[in-house]
Amino acid sequence: MERREEQPGAAGAGAAPALDFTVENVEKALHQLYYDPNIENKNLAQKWLMQAQVSPQAWHFSWQLLQPDKVPEIQYFGASALHIKISRYWSDIPTDQYESLKAQLFTQITRFASGSKIVLTRLCVALASLALSMMPDAWPCAVADMVRLFQAEDSPVDGQGRCLALLELLTVLPEEFQTSRLPQYRKGLVRASLAVECGAVFPLLEQLLQQPSSPSCVRQKVLKCFSSWVQLEVPLQDCEALIQAAFAALQDSELFDSSVEAIVNAISQPDAQRYVNTLLKLIPLVLGLQEQLRQAVQNGDMETSHGICRIAVALGENHSRALLDQVEHWQSFLALVNMIMFCTGIPGHYPVNETTSSLTLTFWYTLQDDILSFEAEKQAVYQQVYRPVYFQLVDVLLHKAQFPSDEEYGFWSSDEKEQFRIYRVDISDTLMYVYEMLGAELLSNLYDKLGRLLTSSEEPYSWQHTEALLYGFQSIAETIDVNYSDVVPGLIGLIPRISISNVQLADTVMFTIGALSEWLADHPVMINSVLPLVLHALGNPELSVSSVSTLKKICRECKYDLPPYAANIVAVSQDVLMKQIHKTSQCMWLMQALGFLLSALQVEEILKNLHSLISPYIQQLEKLAEEIPNPSNKLAIVHILGLLSNLFTTLDVSHHEDDHEGPELRKLPVPQGPNPVVVVLQQVFQLIQKVLSKWLNDAQVVEAVCAIFEKSVKTLLDDFAPMVPQLCEMLGRMYSTIPQASALDLTRQLVHIFAHEPAHFPPIEALFLLVTSVTLTLFQQGPRDHPDIVDSFMQLLAQALKRKPDLFLCERLDVKAVFQCAVLALKFPEAPTVKASCGFFTELLPRCGEVESVGKVVQEDGRMLLIAVLEAIGGQASRSLMDCFADILFALNKHCFSLLSMWIKEALQPPGFPSARLSPEQKDTFSQQILRERVNKRRVKEMVKEFTLLCRGLHGTDYTADY
């Protein structure tokens, strides 16, 4: 019996959606979707309509919804439903119904040729989908048939209507092919068939485009149709006549945009470079647009200049290698390059007066790469031709990078300013790339220009010109090693001569000094030329980012040459910090800069500076610790703790060995007594505990406290040792009161660095057991609200197994409960938590043999783990996590083979597990494949990916393409 429910909208607002897919119900649901003000009802209607479109009844109601008495919205839904049925459920259509379906669609398209355009397009898409599914066997000459049928004189529709309908159908056919879900082997067959069929299309398009009587709307449709077909990689020589016609159509303002699109698509197809003779014929056509381009620029016609530039760049960028290979035509290609140079230097400021120049930047990369890829002799010839062009490019780019006048810039919106900033970054990247072509001569060129500008007494220079030249220098010095450049000393000498009257110029001066910080480390005598400028800029809030980041770079690169200036740097920094000139993030950077600076001083000096630097904050923190917690004093506490942790991140008085990235972290000993950071931490430890006691409930404050110790541990490594016992004790108290992820992360750091040291093992073991016990209790209460804690806990367990498996030997550790909690964590919806849990198991399973308690629990509960892994692969976990689950299977197979071979057969026995889509044979194959592969982890990952696709019903579908 047919199931009936309430119809949408039939019982007023919020009616339950019906599954009775009749014409009447569909119309009611569409009315609800378009006109019901209640968003919930709209969503219900939409969901119901999506079900209707894929239902078997759609074949029936779609045709009825296309009746002439229906409104376009209803007709459109009918046409869309037909398209969905044909494109997605083709296999449901009996072969003996193909012809009647085709005839019905032709009839409807003819009828709608003079009706609603949106419905016509959907019907054309439906017929296109039908044609693609039938080609080439069931409908061998589909395109020729379409052309013939629509040219028939006995149609009731007028000639222009039929012509436009045919063009619409021919336009959507290649587009539908590009997005179709045809299997790969069918795609190749259909593509070949369409390539042959373009012989029926192009002559018609040429005729319509060149026919003087063709109305503008038809010619526009022809250009769009051509644009669609060329994306099927039609041989460029077959497109010649239409490309030439499209170039002619560029003179017609109504056809301009469609012509540009068609030409660019034709030129840009990957296969086009094979047709060099056709490409050479296109160069004069492109060069012939130069007058139209100049006129457009002169008249401020941005659309036209943009379109012509797109054409020139498409030819140059896609085919520079092929055209450079034609050495005898070097002059015509050089003319094209100069036309693109004109587009790069198009007058006006980007993005307010022009948006064209940015299109050209990639071309210069491509041309340079192609020139430098030639063999030495040919490269030398082209270097001679193109080095002057690239020097001209540098001038053009630096001119384009100039800021407008202050007055004009003041009128720009924040969005325009941001676009201009990004544009300048693109120019900077291009200049850095061009350095490979021009080398040291480029720096000399920039230096000479800057020198002439700053020393010329003839005319006053604009700050914009100076700033742009410095910006060019900065762009190159940031990424290229300029230590051997003979112009940098001169540049450093010129910088103090610059009259800084403007924030943008001052910013660039700062960033340029920052870019030269490595050079200053090799030439410390020059530090005094620029450091006063940087310290002076620190006091200006408008130069906050540039001045602080530059000081940080200087302190990092030149710290061993800075002791003579240290007192001054600390004094100025303290002053700006106390005056609260900078935002929080810049204050943090400044503390990092001071950390680098202090690292190079003697211990007594460091302690003296630390005392003066930190004392005001400690006093403030003592005062805040007495106050009742509230939002404003919380911000102040987090700020002060942040300043301390950033200072301790970089304050490192001993040098790491070069291999400190290795598994054993070691540092050279400090010859001068206790580490200054440890001294300060011990002094403020009680105060931090006092702050914590009031703020234990606040994750942000706890995180800020943990950050101080975590960053100190990472920087100091073994030097942190004296703090380990008291920090373990504090962490235990914190975590016992209110468990937080940041405390577990800090515990993990301590395990990583100190657990292998016999002296530190007892406090670390006690802390490890305590946080494990507290977390297990949390699991009993329900861990779903704390995925971050579970994530950090799993990472801690994995670290413990990696660094010190002895932590799992303690009798007080409930390994069974830990194992079961980790299995539970595998089922969390949060990907990072699942990943961390998988990481724990891949560390645990190899310890089966060496740690008795681990071996015992795996034997008892390993089957439960395997079932959780198979459930995840079966579809319960995200496909992006399959590699992690594959790692667990691989570890089980490698370290518990006999158990796995028994468990996997049992686990896969029940029908429908882990997915109802699997046959017993597929499950059997999978288990055999897994059990055979004990060496190659990559193969296991591939097996799991294949199996999960089978489980999800996605094997062999489009969804697997990127997988």
Side-chain angles (χ1 to χ4, degrees):
M1 188 180 158
E2 198 178 26
R3 183 177 167 213
R4 296 182 68 87
E5 294 178 22
E6 282 187 84
Q7 297 166 6
L19 290 173
D20 190 6
F21 301 123
T22 62
V23 175
E24 296 76 24
N25 285 345
V26 170
E27 289 193 38
K28 283 175 185 170
L30 285 165
H31 189 275
Q32 192 165 308
L33 179 68
Y34 286 117
Y35 304 112
D36 194 318
N38 184 317
I39 195 73
E40 260 181 62
N41 289 350
K42 279 180 183 292
N43 291 339
L44 270 175
Q46 186 169 22
K47 200 173 172 187
W48 186 90
L49 286 164
M50 284 167 78
Q51 290 175 298
Q53 278 188 319
V54 299
S55 69
Q57 294 95 309
W59 286 119
H60 174 67
F61 67 64
S62 297
W63 302 108
Q64 290 180 291
L65 295 176
L66 289 166
Q67 294 300 321
D69 59 336
K70 307 292 183 194
V71 293
E73 290 94 328
I74 288 172
Q75 293 171 331
Y76 179 82
F77 182 79
S80 292
L82 280 173
H83 172 239
I84 285 169
K85 294 300 285 182
I86 292 168
S87 61
R88 294 191 201 168
Y89 301 94
W90 178 251
S91 57
D92 295 352
I93 306 170
T95 46
D96 60 358
Q97 288 186 21
Y98 289 176
E99 288 305 319
S100 66
L101 182 56
K102 186 204 301 183
Q104 278 178 290
L105 283 168
F106 268 122
T107 304
Q108 291 293 347
I109 289 170
T110 307
R111 201 161 59 71
F112 276 94
S114 52
S116 166
K117 290 291 166 273
I118 58 163
V119 181
L120 173 67
T121 299
R122 284 328 284 165
L123 287 167
C124 288
V125 171
L127 181 56
S129 187
L130 177 106
L132 295 172
S133 297
M134 290 175 71
M135 289 166 74
D137 302 330
W139 194 1
C141 303
V143 179
D145 285 355
M146 291 173 188
V147 173
R148 188 174 44 75
L149 273 162
F150 278 95
Q151 286 181 325
E153 292 297 328
D154 57 352
S155 169
V157 183
D158 69 273
Q160 186 175 314
R162 272 183 293 127
C163 182
L164 286 169
L166 172 61
L167 287 170
E168 182 65 30
L169 178 56
L170 293 176
T171 302
V172 300
L173 185 63
E175 290 169 359
E176 181 65 10
F177 172 75
Q178 304 285 13
T179 58
S180 68
R181 296 179 173 189
L182 294 171
Q184 209 53 48
Y185 79 96
R186 287 268 307 130
K187 229 167 184 176
L189 284 173
V190 175
R191 183 188 289 279
S193 184
L194 286 170
V196 173
E197 295 260 32
C198 80
V201 178
F202 280 19
L204 171 70
L205 299 184
E206 285 169 34
Q207 182 194 342
L208 288 170
L209 203 52
Q210 289 161 354
Q211 212 167 275
S213 59
S214 289
S216 186
C217 60
V218 169
R219 294 167 76 186
Q220 189 146 25
K221 203 79 198 143
V222 167
L223 288 162
K224 284 183 177 167
C225 185
F226 172 49
S227 192
S228 178
W229 275 82
V230 292
Q231 290 178 66
L232 292 174
E233 294 176 27
V234 179
L236 193 65
Q237 62 194 23
D238 296 353
C239 305
E240 255 185 62
L242 277 167
I243 292 174
Q244 289 185 348
F247 268 99
L250 287 168
Q251 303 306 316
D252 184 333
S253 59
E254 283 185 39
L255 303 179
F256 183 82
D257 290 344
S258 305
S259 302
V260 169
E261 213 58 50
I263 294 166
V264 168
N265 283 343
I267 293 172
S268 303
Q269 53 174 312
D271 200 39
Q273 60 197 14
R274 288 172 44 206
Y275 304 96
V276 177
N277 290 333
T278 306
L279 292 172
L280 288 169
K281 288 180 196 170
L282 292 179
I283 294 180
L285 292 175
V286 176
L287 294 175
L289 300 173
Q290 287 181 100
E291 187 49 43
Q292 191 179 355
L293 174 62
R294 283 195 187 89
Q295 285 295 320
V297 169
Q298 211 172 328
N299 300 333
D301 179 356
M302 283 164 69
E303 282 76 14
T304 301
S305 54
H306 196 83
I308 293 173
C309 174
R310 278 185 66 200
I311 293 170
V313 168
L315 184 57
E317 197 176 302
N318 288 293
H319 306 297
S320 66
R321 175 73 200 217
L323 293 169
L324 284 167
D325 270 329
Q326 309 306 306
V327 181
E328 65 278 17
H329 295 280
W330 70 272
Q331 283 171 304
S332 64
F333 184 61
L334 180 60
L336 177 68
V337 171
N338 284 325
M339 181 177 175
I340 295 172
M341 179 76 79
F342 175 80
C343 294
T344 305
I346 207 158
H349 286 289
Y350 181 95
V352 177
N353 317 108
E354 63 92 6
T355 54
T356 298
S357 56
S358 63
L359 299 177
T360 65
L361 297 180
T362 319
F363 164 74
W364 298 108
Y365 285 75
T366 308
L367 177 61
Q368 179 177 311
D369 283 347
D370 289 337
I371 291 169
L372 296 180
S373 70
F374 285 121
E375 72 282 358
E377 198 179 328
K378 200 169 183 182
Q379 191 185 128
V381 172
Y382 274 130
Q383 283 261 22
Q384 212 174 342
V385 175
Y386 283 99
R387 271 179 74 83
V389 172
Y390 271 86
F391 273 115
Q392 185 192 347
L393 173 67
V394 171
D395 290 345
V396 167
L397 290 176
L398 291 177
H399 181 73
K400 292 297 294 181
Q402 285 187 27
F403 279 88
S405 67
D406 293 339
E407 187 184 358
E408 193 182 335
Y409 193 63
F411 285 113
W412 284 19
S413 69
S414 57
D415 188 42
E416 285 166 342
K417 288 176 180 175
E418 177 58 12
Q419 282 185 56
F420 182 58
R421 185 193 68 76
I422 294 166
Y423 175 67
R424 277 172 51 101
V425 170
D426 292 340
I427 286 177
S428 170
D429 292 343
T430 311
L431 289 170
M432 182 261 290
Y433 205 75
V434 165
Y435 182 84
E436 192 186 345
M437 177 90 139
L438 302 180
E441 200 183 331
L442 172 55
L443 289 177
S444 306
N445 184 289
L446 292 174
Y447 172 66
D448 291 344
K449 285 192 170 78
L450 188 64
R452 283 200 300 275
L453 195 67
L454 294 176
T455 53
S456 166
S457 53
E458 289 172 26
E459 50 182 280
Y461 61 86
S462 71
W463 70 262
Q464 286 93 338
H465 198 171
T466 309
E467 189 278 335
L469 286 167
L470 270 180
Y471 185 68
F473 244 111
Q474 176 211 323
S475 303
I476 295 159
E478 262 177 346
T479 43
I480 308 288
D481 182 4
V482 295
N483 281 10
Y484 304 104
S485 167
D486 54 359
V487 301
V488 176
L491 174 66
I492 295 278
L494 282 176
I495 284 175
R497 299 184 61 149
I498 296 170
S499 165
I500 299 176
S501 55
N502 172 281
V503 170
Q504 283 91 3
L505 175 58
D507 258 339
T508 303
V509 168
M510 284 301 113
F511 285 128
T512 305
I513 294 169
L516 295 170
S517 55
E518 284 184 41
W519 185 90
L520 287 168
D522 290 340
H523 306 82
V525 71
M526 302 299 283
I527 291 172
N528 200 32
S529 302
V530 290
L531 187 60
L533 288 173
V534 179
L535 295 178
H536 178 71
L538 274 184
N540 184 344
E542 289 186 295
L543 304 178
S544 182
V545 173
S546 60
S547 62
V548 174
S549 68
T550 297
L551 181 65
K552 184 180 161 184
K553 281 181 180 175
I554 291 173
C555 289
R556 185 181 63 216
E557 301 299 334
C558 314
K559 62 182 172 187
Y560 297 111
D561 302 298
L562 290 179
Y565 314 104
N568 193 16
I569 295 171
V570 172
V572 172
S573 302
Q574 260 186 292
D575 185 50
V576 298
L577 284 166
M578 284 296 121
K579 286 178 179 167
Q580 298 181 339
I581 283 171
H582 302 289
K583 288 182 180 169
T584 302
S585 53
Q586 276 71 55
C587 292
M588 303 305 158
W589 291 358
L590 191 49
M591 277 303 204
Q592 287 179 24
L594 294 171
F596 285 125
L597 173 74
L598 298 180
S599 300
L601 304 182
Q602 295 297 312
V603 168
E604 309 80 63
E605 281 294 303
I606 296 174
L607 287 168
K608 195 172 82 180
N609 278 296
L610 278 177
H611 180 73
S612 68
L613 188 61
I614 291 175
S615 290
Y617 294 112
I618 301 303
Q619 287 162 16
Q620 203 180 337
L621 199 57
E622 282 170 344
K623 190 163 157 272
L624 290 164
E626 299 296 334
E627 293 177 9
I628 297 162
N630 67 61
S632 68
N633 59 24
K634 171 188 159 175
L635 279 176
I637 288 169
V638 170
H639 181 74
I640 292 169
L641 295 173
L643 291 174
L644 293 176
S645 65
N646 276 279
L647 178 63
F648 297 155
T649 301
T650 54
L651 208 172
D652 188 7
V653 294
S654 61
H655 313 295
H656 291 256
E657 288 180 356
D658 288 342
D659 63 349
H660 72 275
E661 294 295 328
E664 289 299 319
L665 291 158
R666 282 286 177 274
K667 297 181 57 174
L668 300 173
V670 186
Q672 306 159 303
N675 191 295
V677 173
V678 175
V679 172
V680 173
L681 282 174
Q682 285 175 327
Q683 286 171 359
V684 298
F685 198 81
Q686 297 303 118
L687 174 58
I688 287 173
Q689 283 187 305
K690 190 175 181 182
V691 170
L692 259 183
S693 65
K694 286 197 175 178
W695 288 91
L696 260 179
N697 278 315
D698 193 288
Q700 239 182 315
V701 175
V702 171
E703 216 170 286
V705 168
C706 289
I708 289 181
F709 294 105
E710 194 177 344
K711 287 177 177 174
S712 305
V713 169
K714 278 182 180 172
T715 308
L716 301 178
L717 302 178
D718 290 348
D719 292 350
F720 189 84
M723 297 288 302
V724 171
Q726 58 197 126
L727 181 56
C728 286
E729 194 188 329
M730 183 185 92
L731 275 172
R733 281 205 306 276
M734 271 168 60
Y735 197 74
S736 304
T737 316
I738 292 175
Q740 303 220 10
S742 49
L744 289 172
D745 295 334
L746 181 49
T747 304
R748 178 162 50 90
Q749 282 295 334
L750 292 173
V751 167
H752 180 51
I753 295 164
F754 296 107
H756 60 279
E757 301 276 358
H760 299 306
F761 185 71
I764 284 176
E765 184 188 40
L767 174 62
F768 178 73
L769 292 170
L770 178 63
V771 297
T772 301
S773 166
V774 171
T775 313
L776 293 177
T777 309
L778 191 74
F779 265 91
Q780 287 166 2
Q781 295 162 353
R784 276 301 304 113
D785 297 335
H786 308 285
D788 56 334
I789 292 177
V790 177
D791 182 353
S792 295
F793 181 54
M794 291 298 140
Q795 289 187 56
L796 168 62
L797 294 171
Q799 185 69 269
L801 285 162
K802 196 185 289 184
R803 295 293 284 175
K804 194 68 176 170
D806 291 9
L807 287 165
F808 274 70
L809 293 172
C810 178
E811 287 178 8
R812 285 184 292 143
L813 181 71
D814 189 344
V815 179
K816 191 178 181 72
V818 166
F819 188 95
Q820 290 171 346
C821 290
V823 171
L824 189 63
L826 286 176
K827 301 176 183 182
F828 272 44
E830 291 82 7
T833 308
V834 177
K835 221 171 193 169
S837 311
C838 291
F840 161 66
F841 283 116
T842 52
E843 289 295 338
L844 180 92
L845 293 168
R847 306 278 186 273
C848 282
E850 63 189 78
V851 181
E852 190 187 337
S853 56
V854 171
K856 187 165 178 278
V857 78
V858 170
Q859 201 150 6
E860 290 171 3
D861 293 336
R863 189 173 180 278
M864 176 172 70
L865 167 63
L866 176 65
I867 287 171
V869 169
L870 290 172
E871 282 174 348
I873 296 169
Q876 286 193 9
S878 162
R879 275 164 51 203
S880 64
L881 293 165
M882 288 305 112
D883 281 358
C884 303
F885 289 107
D887 287 342
I888 298 179
L889 277 181
F890 184 74
L892 277 167
N893 200 24
K894 195 170 181 182
H895 302 284
C896 321
F897 176 72
S898 56
L899 291 168
L900 178 66
S901 50
M902 183 173 63
W903 291 336
I904 197 164
K905 285 184 174 63
E906 287 174 13
L908 290 172
Q909 201 69 46
F913 180 84
S915 162
R917 293 186 175 91
L918 296 173
S919 67
E921 293 76 26
Q922 287 170 323
K923 293 199 270 189
D924 197 39
T925 304
F926 176 66
S927 63
Q928 285 175 23
Q929 283 178 328
I930 291 292
L931 291 169
R932 270 201 301 268
E933 193 52 79
R934 300 178 67 187
V935 179
N936 191 330
K937 192 189 280 190
R938 186 179 57 78
R939 279 287 302 122
V940 174
K941 288 180 178 178
E942 285 168 8
M943 291 168 197
V944 168
K945 281 182 179 176
E946 286 284 307
F947 192 63
T948 198
L949 292 172
L950 286 170
C951 291
R952 296 162 200 257
L954 297 174
H955 199 270
T957 67
D958 278 16
Y959 295 107
T960 64
D962 303 323
Y963 187 45

